[in-house]
Amino acid sequence: MCMELSFRLVTTPEDIETTARLADEIWKEHYISIITAEQINYMLDKFQSVPAISDQIGNQGYEYYLMLVDGDPAGYLAIKPEASKLFLSKFYLLKAYRGRGFGSRAIGFLADLCKERKLSAIWLTVNRHNASSIAVYERNGFRIVRTQVADIGGGYVMDDYVMEKEVLSAEA
């Protein structure tokens, strides 16, 4: 049975609250085996709280999309178009929806956005110990281009791979 996946641009306070709730649930479930609970809470507050998401949308050029499966929130994406590439800042899916092809379908949605906007690639950062997500990205044509350690304050760092997927131009 193929469930319907749709994407809705986050524009309302209600959508921002839904996104922050999804972040809280997903991060606390998925990242606890990778980083400490203290770092999870710090990052949720700094990057995925209602005020942080509102600021990213309103002042920093980010676009958030809710991923809806049969109309129910299942995850979310955050992107930031750049000069020639699309930065995939956030890509999170509830555990119940993982392993069912929704991630690959979301990457297809992003590739289509790149083509519409004439962007050549999608790039992202992913924790170097997040093997399941890295595997999904690699299956969908991303490759590791470098490692990166970023100080995010509070005594925490993000120890990431930078991955990139080339997207054929609309003319190709």
Side-chain angles (χ1 to χ4, degrees), residues 64-79:
Y64 274 74
Y65 292 87
L66 282 172
M67 297 174 60
L68 305 170
V69 175
D70 291 341
D72 295 323
Y76 65 99
L77 307 165
I79 60 171

Side-chain angles (χ1 to χ4, degrees), residues 111-171:
D112 289 344
L113 280 181
C114 282
K115 292 172 188 172
E116 289 170 17
R117 298 174 186 197
K118 304 203 180 338
L119 301 173
S120 64
I122 304 166
W123 74 277
L124 57 88
T125 60
V126 59
N127 185 294
R128 292 185 347 174
H129 304 287
N130 191 348
S132 60
S133 295
I134 292 166
V136 169
Y137 293 134
E138 288 178 333
R139 276 196 306 274
N140 282 278
F142 284 83
R143 61 184 179 80
I144 296 169
V145 295
R146 69 179 184 277
T147 59
Q148 169 179 294
V149 177
D151 184 335
I152 58 169
Y156 300 111
V157 297
M158 293 192 312
D159 184 11
D160 293 334
Y161 287 127
V162 175
M163 299 185 78
E164 187 169 297
K165 173 187 175 69
E166 290 184 27
V167 178
L168 296 175
S169 70
E171 293 78 33

